[in-house]
Amino acid sequence: MSTTIAPAASVESKPQASFNEIPTVHAEYALRNAKVNTWPFRHAVVRPIFPAWYYQDLTSLFPADDAFVPLNKYHPDRGAVFLTDRGDGTDDLGRLPEPQRAFWADFARSFGSDRFRAALLDRIGGESYVDRYLSRSRALIHLSLDRCGYQIAPHTDVAKKIVTAVFYLPDVGDFTNEPYGTSVLVQKPGAEQMNPQDWNRYDIAYTAPFIANSLFTFAVGTNSWHAVKPVDKPTRRRSIQYFVFLND
């Protein structure tokens, strides 16, 4: 009895595959496999969060300083470029030149997707967060540029933010701003009557290092006290601010 062996499929006849990692899938992999710290509130540091080649694109296509406008009257030293609807039906993508506009519009679409938002909710809050918040939320994303003098006083974040995620974007090998990541705070015993925004009310439990290709993310709640120490030297502190934000 003879056996007929089908010829092997020709590799050359197939479309050329792309062997680059998909940025959102890489980020989801890193996020879902990251350790989540549970005290004093649920938070995680993830790095590297992006493929190396994509991180180079993020930093090289980061807008020029003059594209940024003050985030609000409370933070004049923080400039913002909104990639998604800021809440009034507008964003800032139209102010960016090409190829920045196309790149950041694609970032907003892909990382603002239900899939990535679900990954954040699931890793930080579990399946109950996905069930409770995914259909009722959106991604609020803006680029951020902080300058000398910038700081964030202790606070918990507004209740409409379910998960906060900050992607740190210094150049690879630049450790100038390493001390100025987000600090996790714990209230000192007996300090309940002090001003909630007074640094002396808290001990610093941990400060996420502001280093390349890293993410700091946490669940927002009544005890999610955090802050950024004053940036006391000339600097350009670049980041992507990402919030899972409850719909109106």
Side-chain angles (χ1 to χ4, degrees), residues 208-231:
F210 194 95
I211 58 178
N213 204 359
S214 58
L215 166 69
F216 178 76
T217 183
F218 63 91
V220 177
T222 57
N223 68 332
S224 57
W225 293 100
H226 63 286
V228 175
K229 292 175 283 188
V231 179

Side-chain angles (χ1 to χ4, degrees), residues 67-71 78-82 86 92 95 142-145:
F68 291 82
V69 296
L71 178 62
R78 164 161 283 186
V81 171
F82 277 82
R86 55 168 46 86
D92 296 323
R95 297 195 292 104
H142 70 80
L143 305 181
S144 181
L145 180 65

Side-chain angles (χ1 to χ4, degrees), residues 182-202:
T182 304
S183 293
V184 174
L185 307 179
V186 178
Q187 185 173 270
K188 295 177 179 178
E192 294 83 359
Q193 302 305 314
M194 295 180 67
N195 184 332
Q197 293 192 316
D198 187 339
W199 279 90
N200 293 318
R201 176 173 169 163
Y202 309 95

Side-chain angles (χ1 to χ4, degrees), residues 49-50 107 116 165-169 214-215 238-240 242:
I49 186 64
F50 300 114
F107 180 94
F116 189 75
V166 186
F167 300 87
Y168 299 150
L169 298 182
S214 58
L215 166 69
R238 304 179 307 195
S239 63
I240 302 169
Y242 185 118

Side-chain angles (χ1 to χ4, degrees), residues 43-125:
H43 63 280
V45 175
V46 188
R47 61 177 182 265
I49 186 64
F50 300 114
W53 66 269
Y54 188 68
Y55 189 76
Q56 291 181 343
D57 290 347
L58 287 166
T59 54
S60 65
L61 291 168
F62 197 81
D65 290 13
D66 59 8
F68 291 82
V69 296
L71 178 62
N72 53 46
K73 64 181 181 181
Y74 305 106
H75 298 295
D77 297 310
R78 164 161 283 186
V81 171
F82 277 82
L83 305 183
T84 60
D85 181 357
R86 55 168 46 86
D88 61 3
T90 67
D91 60 50
D92 296 323
L93 288 168
R95 297 195 292 104
L96 299 180
E98 296 293 0
Q100 292 176 357
R101 182 186 308 170
F103 177 83
W104 289 110
D106 181 71
F107 180 94
R109 282 192 300 270
S110 56
F111 282 90
S113 66
D114 285 356
R115 174 172 172 170
F116 189 75
R117 201 166 72 259
L120 268 175
L121 286 167
D122 184 51
R123 193 69 195 103
I124 293 299

